[in-house]
Amino acid sequence: MNQITLEIGYGLIPLVDPDKGAKLLDSISHLRKKIKEEHDVEIPKVHIKDNSDLKSQEYRIVVSDVFNGTISQEMSEEDAQNEIVQNLEKSILKIY
């Protein structure tokens, strides 16, 4: 099974900080459950780490290939979170 990593630029760190009310971790957990229910595929935990090589609002999803994404500065935290989860789902479903 492939390891899944979400690398984030420093500007996206608040999306994964539960002390600031961030819900990205919960959304990723729900995504894993959804894929299990809909596709009967067990998805490994998603490793999240900051990456100083990325620009502030960039993220990278690494599965077996790489998807790079950039969040618009004007995007709300909720919209940014939704975009990351949608692209994470697309990346996972390509592999599994």
Side-chain angles (χ1 to χ4, degrees), residues 24-50:
L24 182 58
L25 300 176
D26 289 337
S27 295
I28 291 171
S29 178
H30 291 298
L31 173 63
R32 292 176 63 234
K33 289 176 188 174
K34 175 186 164 194
I35 291 173
K36 173 68 174 159
E37 291 171 3
E38 293 179 2
H39 302 280
D40 197 31
V41 174
E42 190 74 34
I43 302 301
K45 290 183 180 179
V46 177
H47 300 274
I48 300 174
K49 65 180 186 176
D50 63 331

Side-chain angles (χ1 to χ4, degrees), residues 5-23:
T5 303
L6 171 61
E7 300 175 356
I8 57 175
Y10 67 88
L12 298 177
I13 291 174
L15 294 178
V16 297
D17 185 351
D19 293 336
K20 299 189 189 246
K23 295 182 171 60

